[in-house]
């Protein structure tokens, strides 16, 4: 084959690749949308749901602690010294529960402060991929369409002339080969 000729064997391969790119583009966009939605949901969960939950839980546990402390004071003042260990244990458990809620709330606040610093670089990467999917990939798909059209036109123009068909040979009076 000469150096100035192309060896076009199948434009269908370009069409199949283009179709695969279109399918990939749709799936990748959905995956990016899902990731972006999950990031948004996580932010809302952290900033609102969890913060509110643990603030309410801390208030509830503080009330429980206050009630346990009050029962302990009442038990100390009463003549029932036998029940004081039960009240002391209830106060210890309530104090541990309050400490746990305070720690959880502290961690939620810390995560809230750090969330954007951690999540934003990843979100920017997702946006870079979205830019690629929305702008560069369509250009590539369009290029493949034009390349396939150009190659089909080239193949049609440079298609080798075939031998006369049997019908043409019969009409000319020559016996078929």
């Amino acid at each position: 084959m000469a150096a100035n000729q192309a060896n076009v064997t199948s434009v269908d391969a370009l069409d199949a690749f283009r179709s695969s790119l279109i399918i990939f583009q749709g799936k990748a966009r959905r995956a990016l949308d899902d990731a972006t939605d999950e990031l948004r949901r996580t932010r809302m969960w952290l900033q609102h749901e969890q913060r509110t939950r643990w603030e309410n839980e801390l208030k509830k546990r503080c009330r429980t602690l206050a009630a346990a402390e009050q029962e302990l004071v009442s038990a100390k003042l009463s003549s029932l010294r036998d029940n004081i260990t039960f009240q002391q244990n209830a106060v210890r458990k309530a104090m541990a529960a309050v400490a746990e809620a305070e720690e959880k709330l502290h961690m939620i606040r810390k995560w809230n402060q750090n969330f954007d610093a951690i999540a934003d670089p990843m979100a920017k990467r997702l946006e870079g991929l979205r830019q690629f999917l929305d702008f560069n990939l369509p250009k590539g798909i369009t290029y493949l369409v034009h390349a396939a059209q150009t190659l089909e036109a080239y193949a049609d123009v440079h298609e080798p002339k075939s031998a006369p068909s049997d019908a043409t040979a019969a009409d000319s009076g020559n016996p078929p080969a």
Side-chain angles (χ1 to χ4, degrees):
M1 174 186 292
N4 60 354
Q5 291 182 342
N7 183 12
V8 179
T9 58
S10 175
V11 177
D12 293 338
L14 286 177
D15 289 336
F17 181 57
R18 180 186 54 80
S19 297
S20 295
L21 280 179
I22 292 169
I23 292 168
F24 167 77
Q25 182 182 33
K27 288 181 179 180
R29 280 182 177 159
R30 284 189 296 279
L32 281 176
D33 290 342
D34 290 347
T36 303
D37 289 345
E38 192 63 33
L39 185 63
R40 190 177 310 112
R41 279 192 299 274
T42 301
R43 180 178 281 124
M44 295 299 291
W45 177 80
L46 193 58
Q47 291 176 347
H48 299 288
E49 292 176 35
Q50 288 300 299
R51 183 184 51 81
T52 302
R53 174 181 179 229
W54 284 104
E55 285 174 350
N56 291 337
E57 189 66 27
L58 179 60
K59 289 176 188 175
K60 177 182 158 190
R61 291 179 183 193
C62 284
R63 285 191 300 270
T64 303
L65 175 60
E69 287 173 337
Q70 185 60 40
E71 285 181 28
L72 179 61
V73 168
S74 295
K76 284 181 179 179
L77 294 176
S78 74
S79 61
L80 303 173
R81 293 284 181 175
D82 295 340
N83 292 339
I84 198 167
T85 55
F86 176 75
Q87 282 79 15
Q88 286 173 334
N89 286 338
V91 168
R92 272 195 294 277
K93 285 174 69 175
M95 289 175 85
V98 166
E100 179 191 32
E102 287 173 340
E103 178 62 23
K104 297 273 187 178
L105 191 55
H106 173 74
M107 292 305 296
I108 295 293
R109 289 178 178 148
K110 184 177 177 181
W111 291 340
N112 269 327
Q113 289 174 347
N114 296 333
F115 186 82
D116 288 334
I118 294 170
D120 282 349
M122 291 181 222
K124 286 181 183 176
R125 288 184 191 149
L126 291 177
E127 282 307 310
L129 183 54
R130 184 176 306 280
Q131 291 280 53
F132 174 79
L133 291 173
D134 290 345
F135 298 106
N136 294 2
L137 197 56
K139 289 178 185 176
I141 291 169
T142 302
Y143 176 80
L144 287 174
V145 169
H146 292 308
Q149 290 170 346
T150 301
L151 290 173
E152 283 175 348
Y154 177 81
D156 288 344
V157 169
H158 290 86
E159 190 173 273
K161 303 294 185 224
S162 61
S165 66
D166 291 341
T168 309
D171 288 342
S172 65
N174 296 335

